[in-house]
Amino acid sequence: MTDPYAGFRWLDGLWAGDIYCASFVRDLSPREALTRFGTDASTIEEVTYEKVCERAVAGWEASPRALPGYLGAVEVGSWTLIVEPFGWGAAGPDVRARVSRGTEIVVITRHEYSTQEFIHEIDGETITYFDLIAPERRWGSDPNRWVDAMREVGLDPDQDDSMGPHPDFGFANVFALASKITKIHLSEDVLGKPFLGAETNEK
């Protein structure tokens, strides 16, 4: 039987570490997305994806509060992908509101030791938010907007949480859901494209 998520399975692995945030921002260039994010504009530079991860790890290790210090952005179709290795800045409501102003953002956070989230926000308004291991518990102005798409990608929006974590949970499913919204199929090839990297203003 063909695996319907074969093209997303690479995202089940630790492609950006066991803590990361991946965000899709519509109709903003990588430079504008990074600027809205609150990075230090003077540090924006063209880098490889590997360099983004390397700089993020170095910043994380150097911070006394274990804050990420570097992130990367790359254009994918009409969207910009922002990758935060060891970070979760886009999950913060202030950052989401700022970045999504006049547009929209889809945020996926992976944190092996804490909350893992899916967030869809339009022009500063949280449309749908849920914890990845409990997609039946949703909130936002339209928490049920994506329930049909959730079923299509194998995330049961009606699961009884008394039965424990979602039995079919995988990041392939979650990125497949993001693809339903963005119409972007995130392939591993994107990591070979030139990124823009920048230091955050967090100290």
Side-chain angles (χ1 to χ4, degrees):
M1 182 177 179
T2 303
D3 179 358
Y5 310 114
F8 295 95
R9 287 297 172 200
W10 70 279
L11 292 153
D12 279 337
L14 299 178
W15 68 284
D18 54 1
I19 300 172
Y20 69 78
C21 186
S23 305
F24 300 87
V25 187
R26 181 176 56 82
D27 293 338
L28 292 185
S29 69
R31 181 174 293 274
E32 185 175 1
L34 288 173
T35 300
R36 285 197 186 190
F37 199 95
T39 60
D40 181 345
S42 69
T43 68
I44 295 177
E45 60 186 337
E46 186 172 304
V47 292
T48 63
Y49 170 73
E50 290 76 14
K51 180 62 71 172
V52 171
C53 293
E54 179 184 313
R55 294 282 298 274
V57 170
W60 179 77
E61 290 176 341
S63 171
R65 293 189 291 157
L67 289 170
Y70 202 81
L71 61 156
V74 63
E75 189 173 72
V76 185
S78 61
W79 295 70
T80 284
L81 168 66
I82 298 177
V83 182
E84 301 176 67
F86 289 95
W88 51 88
D94 291 343
V95 174
R96 291 201 316 268
R98 189 167 63 240
V99 176
S100 70
R101 187 179 67 252
T103 184
E104 63 185 306
I105 186 171
V106 177
V107 180
I108 297 169
T109 63
R110 178 171 193 154
H111 197 308
E112 293 294 293
Y113 328 109
S114 186
T115 303
Q116 307 189 111
E117 303 155 300
F118 179 92
I119 309 166
H120 179 214
E121 184 146 334
I122 299 177
D123 197 17
E125 178 182 354
T126 300
I127 307 301
T128 305
Y129 178 109
F130 60 84
D131 188 317
L132 302 186
I133 64 170
E136 71 283 358
R137 296 199 294 270
R138 300 178 300 280
W139 62 270
S141 63
D142 190 0
N144 296 324
R145 178 174 295 195
W146 300 109
V147 293
D148 289 341
M150 291 170 71
R151 291 190 182 98
E152 290 172 8
V153 302
L155 293 168
D156 183 359
D158 305 312
Q159 182 203 342
D160 181 355
D161 62 4
S162 67
M163 302 300 290
H166 194 280
D168 301 319
F169 169 69
F171 280 86
N173 307 75
V174 178
F175 278 94
L177 176 59
S179 180
K180 294 282 186 181
I181 301 171
T182 64
K183 311 304 180 188
I184 296 296
H185 185 136
L186 185 61
S187 71
E188 200 164 5
D189 292 343
V190 75
L191 303 187
K193 297 175 68 173
F195 276 67
L196 285 185
E199 295 179 5
T200 70
N201 284 316
E202 296 284 1
K203 301 299 180 183

